Amino acid sequence: MKNWKQEVEKRQDELIQSTCEFLKIPSVYDSASVTTEAPFGEGIAKAYNWLLNKAQKEGFRIKDLSGKAGHIEWGQGDEVIGVLCHIDVVPGGEGWTTPAFSADIRDNHIYARGALDDKGPTMASYYALKLIKELNIPLKKRIRLIIGTDEEREWQCVKHYFKYETMPDIGFVPDADFPVICAEKGIADFLFYKKAIKSGGLVMSFSAGTRFNMVPDKAVLTLNRKRIEDLDLLKQMFTVFLSEEGLTGKWEMDEALVVLTFNGLAAHGSTPEEGRNAALAGAAFLTKISLKEEEKTFFQFLNQLFYDDYLGEKLGISYTDDELGAVTINIGTLSYERDKGIRVGINLRYPSGADYQTIMGNLIKAFDTIDMDTEVVSHQEPHGVRKDHPLIKILSDVYQRHTGESREPIAIGGGTYARALRAGVAFGPLFPGQPDVIHQPDEYITIDHLIKLTAIYADAMSILASNELKE
Ligand SMILES: [Zn+2]
């Protein structure tokens, strides 16, 4: 068996130097510089062309599809192993010790936006392929490094790519976590809305959350002061409510309005159990005070069906499977405004055994009882590869060989870029327990991490492309 790590270490200066050069290109979407040649703006086009040109110079077959996506290929045979990466990054943002696109090296860490998501792992994958080429590893299949350029926004890159190019038979995606993510829940966003509310109630407005896939950590309720019968009693009820619920909040008022703030705890929409939904806390409080008919109906509905029930039990949609876990629902956004109506944004996650049509039907029926309409904003089916598929075994073995740890493949509620492949799984770059600095200031990859990734990916690619993958 090849000592991949040693082979990477022999070439580590070049790997580090190229990675830094690549990271210095600010490949952030920029609408102002979009052209036919640069469909996502100048920075992304520059990084994309830099990588394809490098690969061509170094003897690989390359293909470009209108600057939106392309591939770097090595090997021969009918079958294709796909390794899907992306070279676009989120903006640098504030709070960096050194500029986000300086690729400064301090204490064996390379600091740059994209170091971990996903330009560092892209370079590790590229150097893995280069190593296979240099060492003349005999391949029975082709390995394609597919380069995406719009992962952080709309995935237009892969949509465009797979319109023209064949889907790899099998593959992996270095854009999430180790060991192997073999299954991902189905994800859907629903917007429930009502265009008008009768005026004259106590609630002027109520709003919480900005994203469907986050548990809102703050809700703001504005009441019409003139309609409050007993201000002192209300204030007392608010204080008691907060202390009973173990929450914090704020009471403010002027001549016309009383504004109540409820603080919850933010969490990702795939793990609502880790958060505390401020929108539902506010709704629960509203059911304790005297409201007009229409507002009462709405807040009681929310409270009865969703309060303390992210598993959908009261809606009759709860379901758990052994591999992927439970159906979860998250009220991510809520806006109730006297002149503009009501909007409720829900993020649903479900395992492959759950029946999406039934879940959707129950949600629609429930909101229909209070005259609210539905828009399905987005829906992605559950994604995954069977646990007993040879791909899982090969990647798990590679992982074990390089880390000394035997770990079961994992199933997650989130969605990764691996969904773009028909039979593909996420495989790194983040190791269990490693700090997740993705999209954060001072994003970094350590040099050891970069070397280890390159060795792992070279090992995985060479095995996948030189074996028969009998199922
Ligand atoms: Zn990514």
Side-chain angles (χ1 to χ4, degrees):
M1 185 127 318
K2 273 255 156 335
N3 189 333
W4 291 104
K5 187 151 184 260
Q6 213 169 59
E7 294 294 344
V8 179
E9 278 165 349
K10 282 186 212 161
R11 296 155 177 88
Q12 76 174 68
D13 291 348
E14 191 199 332
L15 169 65
I16 295 164
Q17 200 246 319
S18 296
T19 302
C20 289
E21 199 179 324
F22 190 42
L23 287 170
K24 282 179 184 164
I25 309 170
S27 50
V28 178
Y29 174 79
D30 171 34
S31 60
S33 59
V34 166
T35 61
T36 331
E37 290 76 39
F40 305 113
E42 200 176 21
I44 289 176
K46 209 173 152 199
Y48 173 77
N49 292 325
W50 180 90
L51 182 57
L52 285 192
N53 287 339
K54 176 178 168 67
Q56 191 170 38
K57 258 192 293 186
E58 293 175 352
F60 292 96
R61 296 185 293 274
I62 63 159
K63 178 135 189 192
D64 160 44
L65 284 88
S66 318
K68 286 188 177 169
H71 65 237
I72 297 166
E73 190 181 76
W74 187 245
Q76 56 283 308
D78 295 334
E79 283 179 61
V80 174
I81 305 297
V83 178
L84 174 63
C85 310
H86 68 91
I87 57 111
D88 58 313
V89 298
V90 296
E94 302 291 313
W96 288 74
T97 309
T98 44
F101 296 100
S102 62
D104 193 44
I105 301 180
R106 301 191 294 279
D107 191 23
N108 280 314
H109 292 53
I110 306 173
Y111 290 91
R113 172 61 76 231
L116 205 52
D117 180 20
D118 188 42
K119 284 158 92 183
T122 300
M123 285 313 277
S125 305
Y126 175 73
Y127 272 85
L129 195 60
K130 200 174 159 187
L131 201 52
I132 288 171
K133 177 172 172 286
E134 278 178 26
L135 298 175
N136 285 311
I137 306 290
L139 304 179
K140 291 185 188 149
K141 298 168 194 174
R142 286 174 286 155
I143 303 169
R144 263 186 193 175
L145 195 59
I146 302 169
I147 314 297
T149 59
D150 185 38
E151 193 277 338
E152 300 292 358
R153 290 174 66 249
E154 298 168 351
W155 292 27
Q156 282 184 47
C157 50
V158 274
K159 286 175 197 157
H160 181 78
Y161 181 86
F162 289 118
K163 225 192 265 176
Y164 301 98
E165 288 294 323
T166 48
M167 180 56 74
D169 296 276
I170 218 167
F172 67 84
V173 180
D175 189 33
D177 300 325
F178 282 121
V180 177
I181 299 174
C182 63
E184 303 174 19
K185 281 183 185 174
I187 306 175
D189 283 340
F190 299 98
L191 178 67
F192 297 96
Y193 62 95
K194 187 174 194 170
K195 293 231 164 91
I197 312 167
K198 287 180 209 125
S199 56
L202 177 66
V203 180
M204 304 291 288
S205 71
F206 183 53
S207 76
T210 52
R211 286 166 55 186
F212 287 51
N213 67 352
M214 289 297 289
V215 175
D217 62 352
K218 188 173 152 187
V220 180
L221 169 66
T222 307
L223 302 173
N224 184 347
R225 185 170 167 177
K226 286 194 207 78
R227 292 193 173 269
I228 298 170
E229 281 163 24
D230 187 337
L231 206 58
D232 290 337
L233 177 65
L234 183 73
K235 192 169 182 181
Q236 194 195 339
M237 285 173 72
F238 180 59
T239 312
V240 169
F241 176 82
L242 290 179
S243 87
E244 278 176 2
E245 296 280 324
L247 296 171
T248 61
K250 201 164 62 184
W251 168 283
E252 291 161 295
M253 62 179 178
D254 61 20
E255 295 89 73
L257 303 170
V258 174
V259 181
L260 307 184
T261 303
F262 301 83
N263 297 317
L265 179 65
H268 193 255
S270 61
T271 51
E273 70 279 8
E274 289 173 10
R276 193 72 203 278
N277 197 312
L280 292 172
F285 176 70
L286 278 167
T287 60
K288 297 185 188 303
I289 61 181
S290 138
L291 297 175
K292 284 264 182 191
E293 205 47 52
E294 196 179 16
E295 44 191 22
K296 190 169 160 183
T297 306
F298 173 69
F299 289 107
Q300 276 186 353
F301 166 85
L302 265 194
N303 191 54
Q304 271 162 17
L305 280 183
F306 297 99
Y307 185 74
D308 204 19
D309 182 14
Y310 54 81
L311 297 173
E313 281 167 1
K314 293 170 199 152
L315 275 164
I317 60 170
S318 66
Y319 175 87
T320 303
D321 84 17
D322 288 346
E323 195 185 5
L324 265 175
V327 167
T328 61
I329 36 175
N330 176 53
I331 305 244
T333 64
L334 193 150
S335 105
Y336 180 105
E337 266 184 275
R338 193 170 274 189
D339 302 321
K340 293 183 187 150
I342 311 174
R343 293 163 73 85
V344 179
I346 290 187
N347 181 244
L348 164 79
R349 312 262 165 168
Y350 67 96
S352 40
D355 180 22
Y356 173 68
Q357 294 302 328
T358 305
I359 295 173
M360 180 173 65
N362 282 18
L363 274 167
I364 293 172
K365 250 186 278 167
F367 278 91
D368 188 52
T369 62
I370 55 163
D371 294 325
M372 288 182 70
D373 293 319
T374 309
E375 182 192 327
V376 181
V377 179
S378 65
H379 174 226
Q380 290 180 307
E381 304 263 340
H383 175 82
V385 172
R386 290 190 338 266
K387 260 188 184 168
D388 57 356
H389 193 289
L391 174 69
I392 306 292
K393 168 98 175 91
I394 289 170
L395 296 182
S396 300
D397 287 350
V398 168
Y399 180 80
Q400 181 172 10
R401 196 152 52 241
H402 291 261
T403 61
E405 283 174 12
S406 161
R407 281 184 188 260
E408 282 287 301
I410 53 175
I412 60 168
T416 78
Y417 201 28
R419 283 169 191 263
L421 297 179
R422 197 195 59 228
V425 295
F427 185 51
L430 209 61
F431 289 101
Q434 227 178 6
D436 183 357
V437 291
I438 285 167
H439 297 193
Q440 303 295 314
D442 284 345
E443 178 179 346
Y444 68 84
I445 188 164
T446 66
I447 286 166
D448 286 349
H449 190 181
L450 184 65
I451 290 170
K452 201 164 180 177
L453 285 180
T454 310
I456 288 177
Y457 294 149
D459 198 351
M461 285 179 198
S462 76
I463 295 176
L464 290 171
S466 53
N467 283 300
E468 293 299 328
L469 292 180
K470 286 265 156 45
E471 289 190 37

